[in-house]
Each structure stands twice: as structure tokens, then as C-alpha cells.
Amino acid sequence: LGDLEAIVAAQAPELQSQRKQLEIQKAQIDALILPTQDLSMRRGRGGALPDQAVQATSGPAPQSDPPMPTETVGEPPQQEDNAAEVAAAPQEQGVLTPAGQLVLDPIFDYTQSATDRLVFRGFELIPGIQVGLIEASKARRESIAPTMALGYGLTNRLEIEVRVPYMHRYDRIQVAQQRDQGIVRNLSLKENAIGDVEVALRYQLNHPKGGQDPIFIGSLRAKSDTGKGPFDIGYDEFGVATGLATGSGFWGVQPGLSFLLPSDPVVIFGGVSYLWHIGRDINRTVGGAFVGHVDPGDSMSGNIGFGFALNPRFSFSLGYRQSYIRATRTEIGDIT
């Protein structure tokens, strides 16, 4: 018991000191009044005591808190434009070139096709007995078409584009014909020449106010006949081509309307267009037949799809295009 009394007596001054500290801290809490306008700045991070309370505490003065950010919590910063969002759209559907800027777009296309055809021109007397021409052909065609597209922004909402393709074609054709006697020919054709040069104008019809608003673009494209057309190459007496075409041989004009709907990180795109082919007089004999005026069929097409941007440097797009091509009208001799 004597030892316990000695211990309590020894701790009495320390207990008295702690009691005084508790009374001082209670007075500080009672005197603490935070202004209403400061609550939003101190919420979640504590706050410094008023000056008179700080002076009454013992020990070093508390450090001031770092300044709070000025942005509103929960609202992303507004984007200046949505050019980055629609970067995943195909080139012909993308946003326009800014005013005064020149864009060079190299394009490389490789196409390989195979065609096996059996044609009978004549009539059948009875099953198994035929009178006329039988022709069988096997064709393997390859083409390489590097294209340089040059775009220039006339204004922020109007651009002009020029495309110049160069065609490398290589065809291997085997033709078997049965007339008075059987004829088998193997043809190997090559051609390197410029294709049909195109010029296009695109105009942005509206100015979206937000990053998720749709963008509408009107376009007008003109295709020339600078390439070799199918009636500009040679033919033999049987109407078989002895050269290869690098163009359609006809002028074409194509107005169109497309839209872009950004929905970060996806952009939805689509459009409609009408291609008008301008007919012309050929006035040439091909395979023993005189070809007069030829009017290639016009075509109407529509497309829809989406582009997905994984990051600012890599994206892919997926879409569907449907085209309806009208019939071609050709004058051969006295008939159409």
C-alpha cells in the first residue's frame, strides 16, 4: 500500500498538468467557429484553427494546408473540338482539313480476281445437239494501284481534294473457242498507266455546339477519263481485248451527303450518294460490230458503320455499303 501511495503522489503533478491541457483544449473547441463560406474548402481535408486558438496551444504551429483545385468535382473539362474523336472514321467520311493546311495521303490498293466462264451463243436442236459458238475462258487478274491524295483546307468548313492514281495491271487469260474448228489461245497482258484523276469538294453544313452533336458534310466529286477506257484499247477480229484498261473511259459526277456522330471513343458514320455517268459516242467497230453511243448505268449507294479509336494513333472501322447500279445502254449497229 505504501508503494502505491508513493506512485500516485509522484504522478499527481503530471495528472494536474494533463487536466490543465484538457481545459485549454476544451476552451479552444468552444471558441472554434468556422465561417460558412470556408466549409466547402475545408470539407474532407480538415482546417486550421483560428489565430487566437493557435496561440493558446503548446508546441509548434500547424502547417497551412495546400490550396484546393479550382475545377468543379465530377465535371470533365470541355473539349475544344471533336477532331480527335472522329479520327477513327474512314478517310472519305472524316472531318475536314483545317483552313490553310495541306494534307498528303498516300494510298496503296492491291486486287486479285479470278473468273471462269463458259458461254454458248447459238441454239439447241435437241438435247445434246447444239448449233453455234461455244467459248470457255479462264482469267486471273492482278492490279496494283498506288494513289496520291492531296487535300487543302480552303476554310475551316470547306476543303478540296485531288486524287491521282497510277495503275499496274497484269492479266493472264486462256480462251477456248469452238467455231468451225477449235481455237485455244493464251494471253498475257500488262499495262502501266495513269488512272482516272478525281477532284472533290467537301463542305461541313453545320457547326456542332457540343462534342456529342452530329456533323453533316455535303460533297461533290468529279471523276475524269484520263485513264485508258475499255474502248481505248485494241481488240482482235473475235472481239477479244489485246490491251488492258486503267480507267472507266467516262466522266462521272457524284454528289453525296454524309454524317458523323461522335460518341467517345466510338464514332458512327453513314451517308448516301448518287453517281451520274456521262455517256459519249464511241463510233468504233469492235469484233465486227459497230458501237455507237454508250451510256454507263448510274449508281445509287448508301453506307453505315462505326469507327473505334483504341488510342490517338490506332483505330479501326467496320461498315456496310449497298449499291444499286442501273443498266448500261449501248448502241450496237441499229439496235440499243
Side-chain angles (χ1 to χ4, degrees):
L1 182 60
D3 293 339
L4 292 175
E5 291 178 351
I7 294 174
V8 171
Q11 293 181 351
E14 184 177 353
L15 294 174
Q16 185 66 23
S17 175
Q18 292 179 359
R19 187 179 297 110
K20 290 182 179 180
Q21 291 292 334
L22 292 174
E23 292 177 355
I24 292 174
Q25 292 178 3
K26 184 178 182 300
Q28 294 172 355
I29 294 174
D30 294 339
L32 181 59
I33 300 176
L34 293 177
T36 304
Q37 61 271 23
D38 290 340
L39 291 177
S40 62
M41 299 299 295
R42 302 174 186 273
R43 184 177 299 128
R45 65 183 183 94
L49 298 176
D51 294 339
Q52 62 271 23
V54 173
Q55 294 174 1
T57 61
S58 60
Q63 297 180 356
S64 61
D65 295 326
M68 290 291 290
T70 57
E71 292 90 343
T72 303
V73 177
E75 294 182 3
Q78 295 294 329
Q79 298 181 355
E80 296 296 331
D81 55 38
N82 52 8
E85 293 184 4
V86 298
Q91 191 275 338
E92 67 274 8
Q93 303 280 349
V95 292
L96 305 183
T97 305
Q101 291 193 13
L102 193 66
V103 176
L104 183 63
D105 187 17
I107 304 169
F108 181 85
D109 287 333
Y110 173 77
T111 305
Q112 185 184 58
S113 64
T115 303
D116 297 317
R117 181 178 299 175
L118 178 64
V119 179
F120 170 67
R121 298 184 180 92
F123 59 93
E124 189 174 45
L125 297 177
I126 59 176
I129 299 179
Q130 299 170 338
V131 177
L133 169 66
I134 298 177
E135 179 181 284
S137 64
K138 178 188 296 184
R140 301 295 182 265
R141 308 179 191 275
E142 293 181 271
S143 66
I144 300 175
T147 302
M148 297 304 295
L150 187 65
Y152 181 76
L154 300 176
T155 67
N156 286 331
R157 299 175 64 177
L158 178 65
E159 75 171 4
I160 185 172
E161 182 187 59
V162 179
R163 290 194 177 198
V164 181
Y166 192 85
M167 301 293 297
H168 301 268
R169 292 194 57 184
Y170 176 48
D171 287 14
R172 298 173 302 280
I173 305 172
Q174 184 182 63
V175 181
Q177 293 179 331
Q178 182 63 44
R179 293 175 180 264
D180 298 333
Q181 58 182 357
I183 301 175
V184 178
R185 291 180 299 171
N186 293 299
L187 302 177
S188 179
L189 305 176
K190 294 183 180 181
E191 187 66 57
N192 298 318
I194 192 172
D196 292 341
V197 177
E198 301 179 10
V199 178
L201 284 173
R202 298 187 184 93
Y203 180 72
Q204 184 174 321
L205 302 177
N206 67 323
H207 185 73
K209 297 181 180 180
Q212 304 295 321
D213 293 342
I215 303 172
F216 295 95
I217 298 175
S219 62
L220 181 64
R221 182 175 70 98
K223 187 193 70 64
S224 68
D225 60 350
T226 53
K228 289 184 178 180
F231 295 103
D232 299 327
I233 58 178
Y235 292 88
D236 61 12
E237 66 274 15
F238 301 108
V240 178
T242 58
L244 297 176
T246 60
S248 69
F250 297 87
W251 277 81
V253 179
Q254 183 180 35
L257 177 66
S258 60
F259 75 90
L260 297 166
L261 181 60
S263 181
D264 193 21
V266 175
V267 55
I268 301 172
F269 59 84
V272 293
S273 63
Y274 184 89
L275 177 58
W276 171 43
H277 277 119
I278 303 175
R280 67 185 179 96
D281 293 330
I282 303 300
N283 296 334
R284 180 184 175 186
T285 300
V286 177
F290 181 80
V291 180
H293 186 80
V294 176
D295 185 9
D298 300 339
S299 66
M300 296 166 284
S301 63
N303 70 297
I304 191 169
F306 71 92
F308 184 79
L310 298 178
N311 56 53
R313 302 184 65 182
F314 182 82
S315 62
F316 71 91
S317 62
L318 179 67
Y320 174 78
R321 179 185 298 273
Q322 176 71 36
S323 297
Y324 173 75
I325 304 174
R326 302 178 61 184
T328 296
R329 298 177 61 86
T330 306
E331 291 182 357
I332 301 179
D334 296 333
I335 63 174
T336 299

